[in-house]
Amino acid sequence: MAANLFSEIEDLKGVGKARGEKYRKLGINSPYELIYHIPRSYLDFRAYVPVVQAALNEYNVLKLTIFRKLPPQRIKGGLVICKAAASDGIDDILIVVYNNVYAFQALKEGGTYYMYGKVTGNFMRKEISAPVYISDEEKVLIQPVYPLTQGLSANMVRTNMRQALELMKNEPFETLPDEILMKYGLCPLMQALENIHFPQSEAASELARQRLSFDELLKLQIGMSLMKSRSRRSTAYKMDKSISIAPFAEGLPFELTDGQKNAVRDIIGDLCREVPMNRLLQGDVGSGKTAAAAAACYFTAKNGVQSALMAPTEILASQHFRTLSEFLEPFGVSVCLLTGSTTAKKKAELREKIAAGDIDVIVGTHAIIQKDVEYKALGLVITDEQHRFGVAQRAALAEKGDAPHKLVMSATPIPRTLALIIYGDLDISAITQLPKGRKPVQTYAVTGKLRHRAFGFVRARLDEGRQAYVVCPMIEDSESDLFAVKSYAENAAQGDLKGYTTALLHGRMKAAEKEKVMKQFRDGEIQVLICTTVVEVGVDVPNAAVMVIENAERFGLSQLHQLRGRVGRGQYESSCILITDNTSDDCVKRMKIMSSTSDGFKISEEDLKMRGPGDFFGSAQHGLPPLKIADIACNMELMNKAQECAKELLESDPTLSLPQHRSLKMDVMRLFNKEIIG
Ligand code: ADP
Ligand code: MG
């Protein structure tokens, strides 16, 4: 059968099993997905220079005619070097291709090529090595540069891309109606897809980029709107505002901050309305979001309705369970914990009680949204660290009950432009100050040479009665040279931490073991916790006042900020020591930012700048589909257009069921999880 756009990627000529696998690794399973593999940048072969002008030890574009190909040389280690003598008509140069006989064979004696590669040598004798090239017969001199994977060469991808684009021409498609293209000044989709890969000019590639970015933003908007519109029913749980939370507030071991009080007021105001609450509670790490959530649970319970609080990790879920039990049970509000590792017997028992309404507050991981958990009257749903959950999980929890009120909590502050998309019509309460008496965490970035001194400092703090975290990126030793908690703990016990009680904590331990270690750490029986990033979110042990992060280069800014947020949660002066031997500009910059500010907003903005929105915006951060092309932070105007267009489309056709919208809807479903849109 001849290949078509949606057949397997291996159906393209020249794509065998091996190359197919590489494509699949990149998420490319069909020619259609290949044409959405967007170039990272372009190589402009129009800008070639004469050999004599080539900058040494730099990449240059040359136009060369090959006059003699030399036989391949085999050198030790199985390496093959191929060389050819070439000229630009005035000066000679040697072309050197390492270990790629295939690419070399394609070069013909007498042929003329545009070549891009590193030029080395001296004034007399020059070489261009491992060049990327195109024949001078090639019409398109601006060539795409793709994000590649090992074993997929630029030439292979380009060749396959041409084949895929040919297939596309056999089955023309367009997702937007003509009047929308006209109104927003967009070029047709096929033209955009052709020109994003093989543009004749910068203007052509720019137009293509505009169209494809617009599409992406539009799909994102539509997907989010479709999800939201499913929860716009009125709530069955309008609560009674005459119920007071004063007893709860008085029972707390501290006085709520003004920020917390305002947030609680906002939340209770929402709970007393007919429409379901849809609120984001934002507050930097350590600002005390849990107490605000507890107040909401108290109020809900006193209204005779259940609340559910979902946390992204078991460690955090059980911590919340403890906190909420402590805050709420004295007032006759019952709290339970339900996670993936709750035993089947216990689970069955809890399920029964939850269904009977004998439990007021259900704390857990995503286990609490499973189909077999039925609530008697679920009035309030809270998601902690919401950026850790996929959109699908959030939607599933909201589906439980009769349009429950929803509160999502996050410490990850995001720039306003992104908030608009991610949270759309959510109302926002922000706790902008930390509880009184908190001191900013002193942060130092050092190299491994200073490790012993750093631990001298750690020991001094331990001797004062404080506790510490040491974070490593890996669990077991590997080829990567990265620190792993298991061997690190062994070495530390004999070395830098000899005589101190230490314990291991990582994600591959059983839940009960993790819980036991956390309890001992909380109770002060363990002085140093040597752990992976399992402690990253939410963990709260106020006596822990020192954190050491090994291989700090491995962590992004937001992650470092979250990790560091584990200390500085009590009255003690706290410190964070980042250890890295990495001297890349990027890493040095991150370490500088971490040492100079503890402001989550600033850090998140820098993070966005450094990583680019595609990555920042990816599913790992916010549970949204990763974008391939659109640069939201930098493209507000296009964003606004897409928003306007989405609104228009959905007003005229709320479920996108008209024939002219069908392919757009398919695209939206492809971008999102199908079940969400349904
Ligand atoms: P986060 O906003 O990061 O989730 P938590 O809710 O875990 O923060 O609170 C951090 C710590 O601050 C906890 O130990 C909590 O008991 C304490 N805390 C919360 N509110 C106050 C307050 N108003 N005054 C003093 N300590 C508080
Ligand atoms: Mg928290």
Side-chain angles (χ1 to χ4, degrees):
M1 197 183 79
N4 68 56
L5 257 190
F6 292 97
S7 56
E8 303 301 320
I9 188 71
E10 286 84 359
D11 292 350
L12 286 177
K13 236 192 334 218
V15 181
K17 195 161 173 285
R19 200 190 294 181
E21 248 164 51
K22 304 215 161 85
Y23 276 125
R24 287 177 193 274
K25 242 195 210 148
L26 291 173
I28 298 167
N29 303 295
S30 63
Y32 176 83
E33 287 174 343
L34 182 61
I35 57 178
Y36 274 96
H37 188 53
I38 306 295
R40 190 157 42 89
S41 59
Y42 299 91
L43 253 180
D44 191 347
F45 286 99
R46 295 172 305 180
Y48 63 91
V49 295
V51 170
V52 67
Q53 279 178 25
L56 288 180
N57 302 316
E58 281 177 30
Y59 283 83
N60 291 267
V61 178
L62 307 175
K63 187 177 181 182
L64 302 172
T65 304
I66 295 177
F67 56 83
R68 191 150 40 88
K69 285 174 76 171
L70 309 172
Q73 291 170 276
R74 222 162 258 287
I75 59 169
K76 62 173 184 260
L79 208 64
V80 184
I81 298 183
C82 303
K83 295 182 178 174
S87 159
D88 67 354
I90 300 169
D91 293 293
D92 292 354
I93 189 167
L94 203 59
I95 299 165
V96 186
V97 177
Y98 292 97
N99 238 6
N100 193 342
V101 179
Y102 172 82
F104 187 73
Q105 273 164 357
L107 291 169
K108 301 274 174 293
E109 266 182 22
T112 301
Y113 303 89
Y114 295 94
M115 296 197 156
Y116 171 82
K118 193 170 182 175
V119 176
T120 53
N122 54 38
F123 181 67
M124 298 296 294
R125 243 179 69 94
K126 283 180 183 151
E127 284 185 13
I128 180 165
S129 56
V132 175
Y133 62 87
I134 56 172
S135 156
D136 76 327
E137 284 158 22
E138 175 66 65
K139 298 280 177 307
V140 182
L141 292 188
I142 303 175
Q143 290 283 330
V145 179
Y146 296 101
L148 292 179
T149 183
Q150 189 115 50
L152 274 179
S153 77
N155 282 337
M156 285 179 198
V157 178
R158 279 202 297 263
T159 308
N160 295 144
M161 193 63 78
R162 285 191 189 287
Q163 297 166 334
L165 289 170
E166 280 310 309
L167 293 178
M168 176 179 85
K169 284 176 199 155
N170 298 336
E171 321 167 46
F173 58 90
E174 172 58 75
T175 50
L176 297 178
D178 281 348
E179 50 297 356
I180 289 187
L181 297 187
M182 295 275 280
K183 177 166 176 192
Y184 294 99
L186 301 167
C187 73
L189 183 54
M190 307 258 297
Q191 184 188 325
L193 286 169
E194 173 93 29
N195 286 347
I196 198 72
H197 296 291
F198 301 106
Q200 300 281 355
S201 65
E202 276 102 5
S205 80
E206 187 44 41
L207 209 60
R209 196 161 283 274
Q210 288 270 330
R211 165 67 208 259
L212 297 178
S213 302
F214 182 89
D215 275 18
E216 214 168 37
L217 295 173
L218 180 69
K219 284 182 252 174
L220 192 65
Q221 293 283 335
I222 290 177
M224 293 304 279
S225 304
L226 287 179
M227 280 197 322
K228 276 172 201 150
S229 63
R230 299 211 312 188
S231 62
R232 241 173 243 142
R233 295 169 285 162
S234 64
T235 179
Y237 306 107
K238 180 175 184 298
M239 301 188 196
D240 175 2
K241 60 174 175 292
S242 69
I243 289 175
S244 163
I245 62 153
F248 165 83
E250 279 152 24
L252 286 174
F254 42 73
E255 194 190 340
L256 292 174
T257 62
D258 289 345
Q260 285 169 315
K261 284 183 194 158
N262 290 338
V264 172
R265 193 170 315 130
D266 289 346
I267 293 165
I268 289 182
D270 287 354
L271 293 176
C272 299
R273 296 196 311 168
E274 341 236 279
V275 288
M277 167 166 73
N278 228 340
R279 185 170 289 277
L280 167 67
L281 176 57
Q282 205 174 55
D284 211 342
V285 284
S287 61
K289 295 181 290 293
T290 318
C297 293
Y298 175 89
F299 183 74
T300 304
K302 290 298 166 193
N303 271 278
V305 195
Q306 292 171 305
S307 346
L309 169 60
M310 183 162 79
T313 64
E314 296 205 340
I315 292 178
L316 187 53
S318 58
Q319 176 184 299
H320 281 335
F321 169 63
R322 269 187 334 104
T323 310
L324 263 57
S325 306
E326 190 187 313
F327 289 172
L328 300 176
E329 300 220 306
F331 303 101
V333 176
S334 56
V335 185
C336 79
L337 177 67
L338 182 61
T339 70
S341 55
T342 306
T343 60
K345 184 161 162 257
K346 179 86 183 158
K347 218 180 253 171
E349 188 190 313
L350 287 175
R351 274 206 309 264
E352 226 166 84
K353 286 189 175 168
I354 294 169
D358 292 344
I359 294 176
D360 302 310
V361 182
I362 297 89
V363 180
T365 52
H366 56 271
I368 65 177
I369 59 172
Q370 247 113 67
K371 289 208 169 56
D372 57 3
V373 184
E374 262 182 55
Y375 295 82
K376 171 119 186 282
L378 182 60
L380 169 64
V381 160
I382 305 175
T383 330
D384 191 20
E385 306 289 351
Q386 75 81 29
H387 56 284
R388 284 306 194 89
F389 290 100
V391 170
Q393 283 168 317
R394 259 194 287 157
L397 189 50
E399 294 278 293
K400 298 247 166 204
D402 298 322
H405 296 283
K406 292 187 290 292
L407 178 67
V408 301
M409 308 200 288
S410 178
T412 306
I414 48 167
R416 174 127 194 88
T417 30
L418 297 191
L420 272 178
I421 310 168
I422 299 171
Y423 303 123
D425 54 347
L426 258 68
D427 301 308
I428 299 183
S429 297
I431 305 179
T432 51
Q433 88 251 69
L434 297 178
K436 269 203 247 16
R438 294 282 173 80
K439 304 180 185 82
V441 180
Q442 295 298 322
T443 304
Y444 313 93
V446 302
T447 63
K449 279 204 193 102
L450 291 176
R451 182 171 291 107
H452 291 298
R453 274 181 63 185
F455 272 96
F457 174 82
V458 172
R459 287 191 302 268
R461 301 305 317 272
L462 297 176
D463 294 340
E464 291 166 20
R466 301 289 78 74
Q467 289 165 284
Y469 298 94
V470 178
V471 179
C472 301
M474 310 296 282
I475 298 176
E476 314 250 9
D477 285 332
S478 64
E479 288 163 21
S480 65
D481 274 353
L482 296 167
F483 282 108
V485 283
K486 284 190 176 169
S487 55
Y488 199 96
E490 278 169 29
N491 294 335
Q494 303 305 318
D496 283 324
L497 294 173
K498 197 167 174 179
Y500 295 85
T501 48
T502 63
L504 262 182
L505 186 70
H506 59 76
R508 253 184 258 145
M509 284 161 54
K510 292 225 173 68
E513 271 177 83
K514 280 191 258 185
E515 185 45 38
K516 191 172 140 211
V517 170
M518 274 318 293
K519 181 175 180 326
Q520 288 176 328
F521 189 58
R522 225 162 28 226
D523 294 344
E525 290 162 23
I526 291 166
Q527 291 173 288
V528 186
L529 202 57
I530 296 173
C531 54
T532 58
T533 54
V534 285
V535 298
E536 182 183 337
V537 289
V539 168
D540 183 49
V541 179
N543 189 48
V546 191
M547 172 167 277
V548 176
I549 303 180
E550 290 282 6
N551 294 119
E553 74 278 0
R554 294 281 296 176
F555 304 107
L557 276 174
S558 295
Q559 204 177 7
L560 287 172
H561 181 63
Q562 279 281 349
L563 278 169
R564 180 174 60 180
R566 296 315 111 218
V567 295
R569 300 173 81 83
Q571 78 260 40
Y572 306 109
E573 186 89 43
S574 298
S575 324
C576 175
I577 303 168
L578 307 165
I579 306 184
T580 177
D581 289 320
N582 188 306
T583 53
S584 70
D585 290 352
D586 182 87
C587 177
V588 170
K589 193 163 172 211
R590 265 181 287 154
M591 298 307 127
K592 274 205 179 122
I593 293 168
M594 287 303 294
S595 324
S596 64
T597 183
S598 54
D599 179 338
F601 259 107
K602 232 187 234 161
I603 288 173
S604 136
E605 241 166 49
E606 291 293 337
D607 200 19
L608 178 66
K609 258 192 245 159
M610 286 183 75
R611 289 204 290 176
D615 193 12
F616 184 90
F617 206 54
S619 43
Q621 281 285 322
H622 299 296
L624 289 179
L627 300 184
K628 289 188 175 165
I629 180 165
D631 183 344
I632 294 166
C634 306
N635 217 335
M636 230 6 228
E637 196 187 332
L638 203 62
M639 180 71 225
N640 288 336
K641 278 189 191 173
Q643 218 158 21
E644 182 188 327
C645 181
K647 220 170 125 199
E648 224 169 280
L649 279 168
L650 290 173
E651 262 163 26
S652 71
D653 182 10
T655 54
L656 292 188
S657 309
L658 295 175
Q660 65 266 39
H661 298 147
R662 200 165 292 151
S663 59
L664 178 61
K665 182 166 185 175
M666 294 256 297
D667 256 16
V668 173
M669 287 168 68
R670 225 176 264 132
L671 184 66
F672 279 79
N673 191 330
K674 281 195 184 91
E675 294 101 68
I676 302 175
I677 314 290

